[in-house]
Amino acid sequence: MTRKPIIGLLGGGQLGQMLCQAAAPLGITVAVLDAEDCPAKQINHNKLHVTGSFKDPEKIRLLASRCDVLTVEIEHVDTGVLEEVATTGVEVPTADGKGKTMKKVPVHPSYKTIRLIQDKYQQKEYLAKNGLPVAPQMAIESGDGRVESLKLAASRFGFPFMLKASKGSYDGRGNFKVRSPEDFKTAVEEMGDYLYAEKWVPFEMELAVMVMRTEDNNGRLKAVYPYPVVETIHEDSICTKVFYPPRNVSEEVKEKAQKVACDVVASLWGRGVFAVEMFLVDRQVIVNEIAPRPHNSGHLTMEMVPQMSQFKAQLHAVLDEVPENGLTLTPRVPSAIMLNILGGAKPTSHDRFVDLANGSFDQYTDVYVHLYGKESKPGRKIGHVTATGFSSVDQLSSRISPLIKCMDEIRAERIGSRDAIQGLNTPQLKGVPLVAVTMGSDSDLKTVSAGLQILDDFEVPFSIRITSAHRTPREMMMFAEETARSGCKVIIAAAGGAAHLPGMLASEVHIPVIGIPIKASVLDGNDSLLSIVQMPRGIPCATVGIGNSTNAALLAIRILGTTFPEYAGKMKRYQEKLRTEVIAKDEKLVSTDWKAYLEGMRN
Amino acid sequence: MTRKPIIGLLGGGQLGQMLCQAAAPLGITVAVLDAEDCPAKQINHNKLHVTGSFKDPEKIRLLASRCDVLTVEIEHVDTGVLEEVATTGVEVPTADGKGKTMKKVPVHPSYKTIRLIQDKYQQKEYLAKNGLPVAPQMAIESGDGRVESLKLAASRFGFPFMLKASKGSYDGRGNFKVRSPEDFKTAVEEMGDYLYAEKWVPFEMELAVMVMRTEDNNGRLKAVYPYPVVETIHEDSICTKVFYPPRNVSEEVKEKAQKVACDVVASLWGRGVFAVEMFLVDRQVIVNEIAPRPHNSGHLTMEMVPQMSQFKAQLHAVLDEVPENGLTLTPRVPSAIMLNILGGAKPTSHDRFVDLANGSFDQYTDVYVHLYGKESKPGRKIGHVTATGFSSVDQLSSRISPLIKCMDEIRAERIGSRDAIQGLNTPQLKGVPLVAVTMGSDSDLKTVSAGLQILDDFEVPFSIRITSAHRTPREMMMFAEETARSGCKVIIAAAGGAAHLPGMLASEVHIPVIGIPIKASVLDGNDSLLSIVQMPRGIPCATVGIGNSTNAALLAIRILGTTFPEYAGKMKRYQEKLRTEVIAKDEKLVSTDWKAYLEGMRN
């Protein structure tokens, strides 16, 4: 029935399962090589599946013989067989069924990429050679020379440094933090051979970028498309939480991370999606690891970039049918948080988390549960939950805090420590501002403060700056440019006299600017009002009454309400409150003597 | 592994398939009774499935014995067996495996509902008895009395009237439009027995509302939750297109349709989702048909209400685990259009439609393809496509017009008529306004017109009204209330003199109001400016320069840009154009003599 090439998939775990979930509605057939009852086969029934191990050369050849292209959901596969299948081919019956012939089956991403990535030391040597930012590293000798080699690493990198296994590590396994010479013996005992040492990176945050890579049939790069940067949280060396957008990270750093991730993926071979995990250190990004496949840090794309989740992207890329025009990996929600469901101390430990997640959505928060149909074992990834929100990631995080708390409790039970209950293990940072408030002079702050109070009351994340059109013109323009790029929705600007600040900002940005005329020493604020409101045709500035920062803030919130139902609802309640206050006063005035009322006002 | 009750599903077509797609990530097991290779079983592999017909009593009993609750994806099932299973139970082995015992298996929705709905005549008699709006109808006698009975119907309803089969009809089959007495003979020959006549309803539009129904274990209604109203288009008696929101339908009618749909579903029995299809006639809704299950008109909920698609809703309702708080069926996109993929003249006819759909998305439009894995036959539903947009449904419809055209062409080939290529077969209606423009007097129109031109240039759907704060105060308040409820994002109000209109509107609505001070006969516009800008604390009005309707429109577009990336992009391009225009003028001034330049300006 299918008219599309058949994709052969090595591995049928949760990544394979989600890939099959994406494939079915698109009419794409995926044949899976893995155990009979693997997650992918539970939701994909067809006669092309192969039962067996994705490391077994014979089974890989059998899968290849049934498919038009091979891909992987795990990098721990036999790249020798993949190379053979792609270059020599596999034996298949001839068209007349009487003889045998060889069929070459392309492998995406390329076996070369998978081979490189299987060796973490070589992977980073390759990146360094290509001018990409990685931590300094050195190979550790095998066998008896190991301790000597570790001493050399210590002298080169100082303590602590990381000792890592070149091969076979995943989910943080195969890492050892060497704190002092006393650790050498334990380290070599625990870690075995094929090791390398890496300079300790005192990172502030871990970031990840998924990148989609396309190339033509001759192996020439067509394009790399980055997904938005996310912040990843690891606990017990396993990714447990992912935040979009990363908290308190500048646009500049985000662009840098996307650029580095694209450069990394451009330097590799084959089609598909790739995860690039990075450390953020002092506004610089350092590449930590690459995964040549859909990745845990990209799970939230299913709801955040639903038009092209990492799984759809993998399918379209592998089949080389990525639309030339109009491909957009723009998020369709302002914020998203992914929480992994890890098996707890008991097989049923996670049940209460799932129940809580199923009831966690509200008017402003959508929660999506993904269970993989896997048996629960302590620490095993058996599902994940993605929450999406309509305001900032901090507000979303605060809304789903019961869920995060529950997750932390289950972990604490599992690892037997109450210390694990610490909520988010990064400091709670101030949200990306939705409103940027600025003023020409600190003398305006007194007037502006009433508006700031309103923004606080309505729980609007905002930033506040002093930028003078006349005293800091360049800084003002930079502020305007950065604000427009930051995703901030509205600017409030206060200025007095020849009040140019609001209008100048309006000229630079494309978002609404609200001007507050400040009453200066002469002319009773008329100068400020007219300087702000009488903008030339083409550049509007929304002006409020003289000194009325309250209304500026309320106008900003009405504007936010057009995007975020949350603020529209709050505005309605605020107006209702104004109404009932006046009605109460009216009732009081009617029921008491007017003189007494006046007297009461004086007190 | 599952800890949830197992759902038994009668029927495994596309509705069952999408139900299973929703169930898997939620950890819900669905056992399907249908043919081996039915769509649902392709994406749901488990050992509980029953192979056979969902009309076979023995198979239904077998399915029931394996499950905790039964539901249906089709209403043409044996309700006698369902009643037996729910009230008497099915034989199952005792816990010790030695004996037999009876297990009652609840059926949701109730067999009573399914039985009622199977008979379309009885269904509508029941609704009429419950005070719900249905078209007048009368039963037609069976056998020899049929023609006499038709004459009676004609005398009661006039021509044309509808002759309908009470049972077994779906997708418009079993309907006959009787135009004159000459049709009587053909009608009875074609339609057989068990018929009823229905007054012809000259409807303007067909609407549909999905409703989720919950009840307790004693059959007492807990709640009904309506989805948003959609507009459905039928061609060749098959639903082919669904629009959200319905085009050019007032909020009042939408609320009425939701109310009627809720009343209909409240009058039925059991848990689940229900489709209520209605005719819109002269601002009234008339119930046409009910489906006791997920429905074609609800497919777009998968992307439009992703937090609770009709399939998730069916699962949560049947399992009686609908969250008490926070359940919201609010759309997460402003507009959505569903197009059915019907098999064409050839088995491959639809391929070009699917290819087009896969490439149809752009920065402002997301397109989702759903193929059901069914063999293509002419006119058969083999998939659907949902497009979601970030502006109005009309803009979305215009963006995907190549897709609609392709769909119409495939239909034309199939039915052998070029007439079928007519684009949308309802008139192209003006979009739901995103901006409402109003003014105190028609004398303001000249000033306002520059702003209207900007709105046109930016393709913003807007409405325009005259509402005077002083001459039509009540109409003005009604306008404000209706506008705030309509989903309109911004109001632009122009007024002169004691210019109260913008401020009064701002007092009534929660959305941003932009005021344009109109220069009246005295005071040079100062009176208007101050009347608009100097609003009291609590009620902001965004004021622009005197007479500057251009800036009012541009400010409205900046505000829309905070919600719709489309407008933000256009605003950036507009500002870039302003810039290049000034730069060009500067270059001209530099390169020519200033006197010549001035002279050129005079011409």
Side-chain angles (χ1 to χ4, degrees), chain A residues 1 3-4 21 24-27 41-45 306-308 312 316 323 325-328 332 351 354-355 358-359 361-366 368-371 373-375 390 489 506-513 529-530 533-551 554-555 558-559 562-563 568 571-572 574-575 578, chain B residues 1 3-4 21 24-27 41-45 306-308 312 316 323 325-328 332 351 354-355 358-359 361-366 368-371 373-375 390 489 506-513 529-530 533-551 554-555 558-559 562-563 568 571-572 574-575 578:
Chain A
M1 187 154 5
R3 66 196 172 92
K4 297 211 179 199
Q21 267 161 358
L26 298 174
K41 291 184 185 175
Q42 290 170 21
I43 58 100
N44 176 2
H45 192 211
Q307 74 275 21
M308 189 57 78
K312 281 192 212 174
H316 286 304
N325 299 313
L327 177 68
T328 166
R332 297 314 192 194
D351 287 351
V354 174
D355 289 340
N358 271 322
F361 52 86
D362 62 27
Q363 210 178 335
Y364 315 117
T365 317
D366 293 335
Y368 300 88
V369 173
H370 297 264
L371 290 168
K374 288 163 76 174
E375 198 187 336
F390 297 99
K489 299 282 185 189
S507 306
E508 182 61 24
V509 304
H510 65 281
I511 60 176
V513 175
L529 173 60
L530 298 178
V533 78
Q534 288 295 109
M535 285 290 290
R537 273 171 229 289
I539 311 293
C541 180
T543 311
V544 295
I546 297 165
N548 200 336
S549 66
T550 302
N551 277 6
L554 290 169
L555 179 58
R558 286 190 185 213
I559 292 171
T562 65
T563 306
M571 180 54 68
K572 285 184 197 167
Y574 173 83
Q575 287 175 272
L578 290 186
Chain B
M1 187 155 3
R3 66 197 173 91
K4 296 209 178 200
Q21 266 161 359
L26 298 174
K41 292 184 186 176
Q42 290 170 23
I43 59 98
N44 175 2
H45 192 210
Q307 74 275 22
M308 190 56 79
K312 280 192 212 173
H316 285 304
N325 300 313
L327 177 68
T328 166
R332 298 313 191 195
D351 287 350
V354 173
D355 289 339
N358 271 322
F361 52 84
D362 61 27
Q363 208 177 336
Y364 315 118
T365 317
D366 293 335
Y368 300 87
V369 173
H370 297 264
L371 290 169
K374 288 164 76 174
E375 198 187 335
F390 297 99
K489 300 281 184 190
S507 306
E508 181 62 23
V509 303
H510 65 281
I511 60 176
V513 176
L529 172 60
L530 297 178
V533 77
Q534 288 295 108
M535 287 290 290
R537 272 170 229 289
I539 310 294
C541 181
T543 312
V544 294
I546 297 166
N548 200 335
S549 67
T550 302
N551 277 5
L554 290 169
L555 179 58
R558 286 190 184 210
I559 292 171
T562 65
T563 306
M571 180 54 68
K572 284 183 199 168
Y574 173 83
Q575 287 176 271
L578 291 185

Side-chain angles (χ1 to χ4, degrees), chain A residues 32 49 95 182 280 339 460 548:
Chain A
V32 178
H49 292 327
E182 283 90 75
L280 175 62
L339 305 175
V460 174
N548 200 336

Side-chain angles (χ1 to χ4, degrees), chain B residues 266-336:
Chain B
S267 78
L268 301 174
W269 310 273
R271 301 174 192 141
V273 294
F274 298 74
V276 181
E277 295 186 275
M278 287 165 279
F279 296 129
L280 174 62
V281 196
D282 194 24
R283 298 173 73 85
Q284 300 303 318
V285 293
I286 293 175
V287 179
N288 178 34
E289 214 166 319
I290 312 168
R293 51 168 171 81
H295 187 256
N296 203 163
S297 68
H299 286 357
L300 42 53
T301 58
M302 282 193 278
E303 287 85 13
M304 179 178 118
V305 194
Q307 74 275 22
M308 190 56 79
S309 72
Q310 65 168 346
F311 300 104
K312 280 192 212 173
Q314 174 76 356
L315 296 166
H316 285 304
V318 164
L319 296 180
D320 194 26
E321 54 175 24
V322 177
E324 300 274 322
N325 300 313
L327 177 68
T328 166
L329 303 180
T330 312
R332 298 313 191 195
V333 288
S335 56

